[in-house]
Amino acid sequence: MTVSYTLKVANAQFGGFSKLLFRWKGSIYKLLYKEFFVFVMLYAMLSITYRRLLTEEQKRVYVKVAQYCNRSTDLIPMSFVLGFYVTLIVNRWWAQYTSIPLPDQLMCVISSTVHGKDEKGRILRRSLIRYANLSSVLILRSVSTRVLKRFPTMDHLVEAGFMTQEERKKFESLHSDFNKYWIPCVWFTNLAAQARRDGRVRDDVALRLLIDELNLYRAKCSMLFHYDWISIPLVYTQVVTIAVYSFFAFCVIGRQFLEPLDPEQEQEQDQDLDLYVPLTTLLQFFFYAGWLKVAEQIINPFGEDDDDFETNKLIDRNLQVSLLSVDDMYQNLPLTGKDKYWNESTAQPPYTIATAAETLKPSFLGSTFDMRMSDDPEQSQQVEASPSLPRMHTPLLNRFLTAAASPAVSLKNFGRSNRAHHHLLRLRGEGGFPSPNPRCGEGPELVGRIEEEETEDEASEPPTPGTRLKAPNRLEASQGPRKENPQIRVRQPSDESINIDQSAA
């Protein structure tokens, strides 16, 4: 049976895990004690042989061999090899558990979509859920030793009520070289289609929902079959096993107590403490070999180890719960009425005395809810965002912003770029700078017409905020404080002045 200790570690306390060290069932001691005993016996036999049976010359040779073996242990990456392997095994172990088919979703869909309180409707619902359970039993029988021992032949399945004699004949009449766990799923789909034709399933949407849930159920059965078929590559398991065994083979020889080769050397340098029991080496064996035994236990959780999956219990639970949901609970509803909090705006369930202290704890409203703000009232005043407010830019960013043209100006108003350029030159000319393109020789009519067109453009197309801010900023940055220069305005000549000039000519 699965060893569960979840309640023991519900609350963190002093020495919480220490209480779990003295349990035998499902423990590492139960898995490792035989290998540990063999390692201790080999180490003790080799130690006695070195201390009592070898001659001085033989001891010298053994010391060189032991030193070589001790240096060789550093060349085996035990932590990397074992860590990656066990991580892979644990992920696979949990994925296999989540692939076990459970009929909970399927039985709810059957109970809500397959209608009929008569005997035919009852037989229809029970047959559908029985086919689903039969498919899971067939796949678990193929991967789990416990289930196979419980149902060794098809006669045991008939006797257990998962299939009838007629269904067994149909099942055995279909010849296939592969596993036939999928046959009850096909029976399910055909029976569901017949129920739709008979009106037991009232629309195609309900039939589609029923088939989709069955496909999810069948997919989990298929995943269990593939997990059993496709194992972790054997070469990886062999590499890890050889690495662990070779490491401790070197430790048996290299971790022995060694006498110095020369008596003078013994007086010059400190001699290692002679421990008849190598505690650190034994702990190292316990950790590394125990890690390997953990992977060995959970690489196939469908066996009969202490922590393997309780597949027989799952079969019993699934059959009982599913039949209750589709038969006894079909349209068997309790009376509905007003609940206890009908006239209350805020529902507040009561607490017991043991949990009353939890009501004094404030609710979590967010990590910044209790953050203290500045006491200065000016910091809390709201300021409306306005395009006329100057924006703060760093010198480097300001250089890029003033130098680069707006994409809207360069693409959308590409045809009017010459007018914008004339407008910019005119601003510079009014500020006192010599114009790079003076309008020398232009008559008053031409100047007035150009200025009138620029005025119309400015009135019809207001410049962007970036354009309005760039020109004054550049002028202020380049000029600094300057005097006001007189502005020269060119008026458009009137008709009377033109007639006077013509008469004078």
Side-chain angles (χ1 to χ4, degrees):
M1 184 176 180
T2 303
V3 179
S4 178
Y5 57 92
T6 307
L7 182 60
K8 302 294 182 181
V9 293
N11 299 319
Q13 54 187 344
F14 176 76
F17 281 0
S18 301
K19 300 177 181 179
L20 304 176
L21 298 179
F22 303 100
R23 304 183 66 171
W24 175 255
K25 187 175 183 179
S27 65
I28 188 62
Y29 320 120
K30 185 178 180 180
L31 285 176
L32 194 62
Y33 76 95
K34 295 179 181 180
E35 287 84 354
F36 188 82
F37 180 75
V38 171
F39 179 78
V40 171
M41 292 300 298
L42 290 176
Y43 186 92
M45 291 173 57
L46 196 57
S47 178
I48 293 174
T49 302
Y50 169 73
R51 294 170 185 268
R52 302 298 180 185
L53 302 179
L54 297 183
T55 61
E56 292 297 327
E57 185 63 27
Q58 292 174 342
K59 286 183 179 181
R60 291 178 180 272
V61 176
Y62 180 81
V63 167
K64 294 181 180 180
V65 174
Q67 291 175 351
Y68 171 78
C69 292
N70 193 25
R71 291 192 302 267
S72 299
T73 55
D74 298 333
L75 303 178
I76 302 176
M78 290 293 296
S79 299
F80 172 76
V81 172
L82 270 175
F84 186 78
Y85 183 73
V86 174
T87 301
L88 181 63
I89 293 295
V90 170
N91 292 334
R92 177 186 171 89
W93 166 76
W94 183 249
Q96 289 184 77
Y97 178 75
T98 56
S99 298
I100 296 177
L102 299 176
D104 296 57
Q105 296 182 6
L106 183 60
M107 68 188 186
C108 292
V109 174
I110 293 175
S111 182
S112 61
T113 58
V114 182
H115 301 282
K117 299 186 73 173
D118 56 348
E119 183 178 355
K120 186 176 181 180
R122 181 184 177 189
I123 292 174
L124 181 61
R125 288 189 298 272
R126 291 178 68 95
S127 299
L128 288 173
I129 200 63
R130 185 169 54 83
Y131 289 157
N133 282 288
L134 176 60
S135 181
S136 65
V137 171
L138 289 175
I139 194 61
L140 288 174
R141 184 172 171 268
S142 302
V143 301
S144 176
T145 57
R146 289 180 176 179
V147 179
L148 183 61
K149 289 182 178 180
R150 183 179 181 182
F151 306 109
T153 63
M154 300 300 293
D155 293 331
H156 291 81
L157 291 177
V158 174
E159 184 180 355
F162 286 99
M163 63 179 0
T164 63
Q165 289 289 349
E166 183 65 24
E167 292 168 352
R168 178 191 173 184
K169 294 178 181 179
K170 291 283 186 180
F171 184 86
E172 294 179 346
S173 64
L174 297 173
H175 299 285
S176 176
D177 296 333
F178 304 99
N179 197 316
K180 297 188 292 185
Y181 68 91
W182 46 268
I183 291 180
C185 294
V186 178
W187 292 345
F188 184 103
T189 57
N190 292 331
L191 189 58
Q194 181 181 348
R196 174 68 183 97
R197 291 191 297 268
D198 296 340
R200 301 286 180 172
V201 179
R202 295 178 181 174
D203 50 33
D204 294 335
V205 176
L207 179 62
R208 173 66 182 273
L209 180 61
L210 196 62
I211 299 301
D212 287 345
E213 288 298 331
L214 175 71
N215 285 331
L216 293 176
Y217 188 85
R218 185 210 53 79
K220 289 192 173 184
C221 295
S222 178
M223 284 303 299
L224 280 186
F225 178 76
H226 288 293
Y227 272 121
D228 185 69
W229 180 25
I230 306 298
S231 303
I232 291 179
L234 182 61
V235 291
Y236 198 5
T237 304
Q238 290 175 343
V239 166
V240 175
T241 305
I242 292 173
V244 173
Y245 287 171
S246 60
F247 179 84
F248 289 107
F250 285 128
C251 287
V252 167
I253 302 174
R255 301 294 174 83
Q256 296 284 344
F257 171 77
L258 302 177
E259 297 178 357
L261 298 178
D262 298 328
E264 298 179 357
Q265 184 180 2
E266 181 180 1
Q267 297 177 358
E268 292 177 357
Q269 63 183 7
D270 296 336
Q271 183 66 21
D272 293 337
L273 184 63
D274 187 5
L275 293 177
Y276 291 95
V277 180
L279 295 179
T280 56
T281 303
L282 294 180
L283 287 176
Q284 200 171 23
F285 178 85
F286 186 82
F287 299 147
Y288 286 155
W291 216 352
L292 183 65
K293 295 298 290 185
V294 169
E296 181 182 341
Q297 184 184 30
I298 65 176
I299 191 173
N300 182 14
F302 294 100
E304 299 180 68
D305 296 327
D306 291 339
D307 277 316
D308 285 344
F309 301 151
E310 293 288 336
T311 49
N312 284 325
K313 292 293 183 181
L314 283 173
I315 291 174
D316 297 340
R317 180 260 175 195
N318 293 341
L319 181 63
Q320 185 182 70
V321 170
S322 59
L323 290 178
L324 280 174
S325 63
V326 301
D327 190 7
D328 295 347
M329 294 185 64
Y330 176 73
Q331 298 297 328
N332 187 10
L333 299 175
L335 295 177
T336 58
K338 297 180 179 180
D339 58 83
K340 183 179 180 180
Y341 309 102
W342 179 265
N343 296 322
E344 298 182 13
S345 59
T346 302
Q348 182 61 47
Y351 286 80
T352 61
I353 297 178
T355 59
E358 296 182 7
T359 60
L360 303 177
K361 298 179 182 179
S363 301
F364 181 75
L365 301 176
S367 58
T368 61
F369 184 75
D370 295 329
M371 187 178 73
R372 299 187 60 182
M373 304 297 292
S374 176
D375 296 335
D376 188 2
E378 296 182 357
Q379 300 294 329
S380 302
Q381 294 182 357
Q382 295 183 351
V383 178
E384 295 183 359
S386 175
S388 62
L389 294 177
R391 297 182 180 180
M392 301 298 296
H393 299 300
T394 60
L396 181 60
L397 182 60
N398 193 23
R399 182 183 304 174
F400 282 108
L401 291 176
T402 55
S406 173
V409 174
S410 60
L411 297 177
K412 190 174 182 179
N413 303 326
F414 180 75
R416 305 190 182 109
S417 59
N418 294 330
R419 301 182 196 176
H421 184 63
H422 293 161
H423 179 68
L424 180 60
L425 294 178
R426 187 165 56 82
L427 284 174
R428 291 182 178 178
E430 292 176 357
F433 289 95
S435 176
N437 188 16
R439 298 169 182 170
C440 300
E442 295 179 354
E445 297 181 4
L446 181 60
V447 173
R449 185 165 59 252
I450 292 175
E451 186 173 358
E452 185 177 5
E453 290 176 358
E454 292 174 355
T455 306
E456 292 176 357
D457 293 339
E458 293 176 0
S460 62
E461 297 181 6
T464 60
T467 305
R468 185 166 60 250
L469 292 173
K470 287 177 184 176
N473 288 340
R474 293 178 63 181
L475 291 174
E476 291 175 6
S478 60
Q479 294 180 20
R482 60 181 177 82
K483 296 180 180 180
E484 292 290 338
N485 293 325
Q487 297 182 358
I488 300 175
R489 297 182 179 179
V490 180
R491 296 181 180 178
Q492 185 176 2
S494 60
D495 297 336
E496 296 177 1
S497 61
I498 293 174
N499 295 330
I500 292 173
D501 293 339
Q502 289 177 356
S503 62

